[in-house]
Amino acid sequence: MNVYFNHDGGGDDFIALLLLLQMSDIKLTGVSVIAADGYLEPSFDASRKIIDRFGKVPVEVAKSDSRGKNPFPKEWRLHSFYVDAFPILNESGKMEAPVSELPAHRHLIEKVRGEEGKTTLLFTGPLTDLARALDEAPDIEEKIDRLVWMGGTFLPKGNVMEPEHDGTAEWNAFWDPDAVARVWKSGIRIDMVALESTNKVPLTLEVRAAWAKLRKYEAIDFVGQCYALVPPLIFFETNSTYYLWDVLTAAYVGHPGLVKVKTVNSVVYTDGVRQGRTAEAPDGRPVNLIYDVDRDGFFDYITELMKQA
Ligand code: AGV
Ligand code: CA
């Protein structure tokens, strides 16, 4: 399976990259980084360092020049600097993963066109680069097998808690709602790993403790460091509570049997207090909603992958 990965520099985006690099039955054709939940330079450098340290073959990395409508909080975005500075990523003192001079959306076009077969697109941040790629090169649609996207929700409560918003949206959709609308307009199959399923895999103290015991494995130590930067779920959810959003999304690509899927007809709102909200609508476009996960199976799967890294 060809997979092209676009991520946005959040702590769990890096872990998703690490996991993809361990999946023996996928070919990672390229990686691009958009400055949404992280800053561009550290997210880009950290991605190259993760490929160098945990990858088996070189993978080319590109930077996005896309900008969103609703910026992520700076406190979250700063995590990209911390991860990039982890000693485990800086031991060699160099970066070797190849760099593309193309902006991410053109890099995506190049990589999709360049493969003989179809490509699965994996997006763990906003859809801006895909929307731009489709506008610039509508021909690539037929070479895209499907989009696997961490984003959106049909629950009454999303995870955006911002002034002038009603709280119904998920952040990756809220950052650029117009991009979601553009992708919804396409004919691409969409597998949406929404809050319905990611809410079932919060970062808890038990998860941390289990990984702490396995820190002799380098990849698990690295993941433990990433999750040390964010508060776990203890008594109740706060705006900073962390879930294994993108990690579940990557795991779904490698092991689809872990989740439950149903088809939902959906629209996205692009304006006003509900912008970024995905909602069920009888005449909306069909998407495959990943709404449930075998939690233990998921943790076993990712832990095994990390042990082998
Ligand atoms: O909405 C989930 C998305 C995922 O792609 N991101 C984080 C994951 O990378 C945004 C987000 C929502 N709540 C957050 C987020 C939080 N408390 N901290 C950091 N990012
Ligand atoms: Ca993300």
Side-chain angles (χ1 to χ4, degrees), residues 43-217:
S43 304
F44 177 75
D45 287 354
S47 300
R48 294 181 68 205
K49 293 171 188 174
I50 290 167
I51 292 168
D52 289 350
R53 177 108 204 182
F54 296 107
K56 290 160 179 77
V57 291
V59 183
E60 195 174 76
V61 188
K63 287 179 194 171
S64 172
D65 57 7
S66 297
R67 296 288 175 270
K69 212 177 193 179
N70 300 299
F72 276 98
K74 183 178 176 182
E75 293 71 27
W76 299 353
R77 301 189 66 204
L78 282 170
H79 294 158
S80 53
F81 281 99
Y82 313 152
V83 174
D84 184 43
F86 284 172
I88 192 173
L89 295 185
N90 290 280
E91 203 174 351
S92 76
K94 51 186 188 219
M95 289 187 275
E96 290 179 326
V99 168
S100 170
E101 294 309 320
L102 295 174
H105 65 289
R106 299 217 171 106
H107 186 243
L108 182 157
I109 295 169
E110 179 194 73
K111 294 299 174 194
V112 168
R113 283 183 180 156
E115 289 301 322
E116 209 183 293
K118 292 191 178 190
T119 299
T120 291
L121 302 179
L122 171 61
F123 273 62
T124 57
L127 293 177
T128 318
D129 288 322
L130 176 54
R132 291 175 73 194
L134 291 171
D135 280 344
E136 243 181 79
D139 61 283
I140 60 170
E141 240 192 67
E142 61 191 41
K143 289 202 71 189
I144 297 171
D145 189 43
R146 59 179 172 145
L147 165 68
V148 176
W149 181 44
M150 191 285 125
T153 186
F154 301 107
L155 296 170
K157 190 174 160 299
N159 64 6
V160 172
M161 296 172 211
E162 288 282 301
E164 303 184 324
H165 196 270
D166 69 3
T168 56
E170 180 281 330
W171 258 104
N172 289 340
F174 177 62
W175 196 80
D176 188 353
D178 298 308
V180 183
R182 173 63 186 90
V183 172
W184 255 231
K185 227 175 60 189
S186 75
I188 300 170
R189 167 180 156 187
I190 299 172
D191 292 353
M192 184 172 146
V193 182
L195 298 182
E196 280 79 345
S197 52
T198 61
N199 280 349
K200 295 180 178 160
V201 286
L203 173 66
T204 60
L205 294 174
E206 290 74 27
V207 170
R208 270 206 192 144
W211 284 339
K213 288 209 171 5
L214 296 171
R215 65 178 285 276
K216 69 173 179 198
Y217 299 98

Side-chain angles (χ1 to χ4, degrees), residues 12-13 37 72 76 124 159 170 172 239-242 245-246:
D12 61 335
D13 295 81
D37 205 1
F72 276 98
W76 299 353
T124 57
N159 64 6
E170 180 281 330
N172 289 340
N239 189 30
S240 313
T241 302
Y242 223 79
W245 301 282
D246 300 349

Side-chain angles (χ1 to χ4, degrees), residues 3-6 27-32 59-61 107 111:
V3 176
Y4 182 91
F5 182 39
N6 179 284
K27 175 181 170 194
L28 195 54
T29 62
V31 171
S32 51
V59 183
E60 195 174 76
V61 188
H107 186 243
K111 294 299 174 194

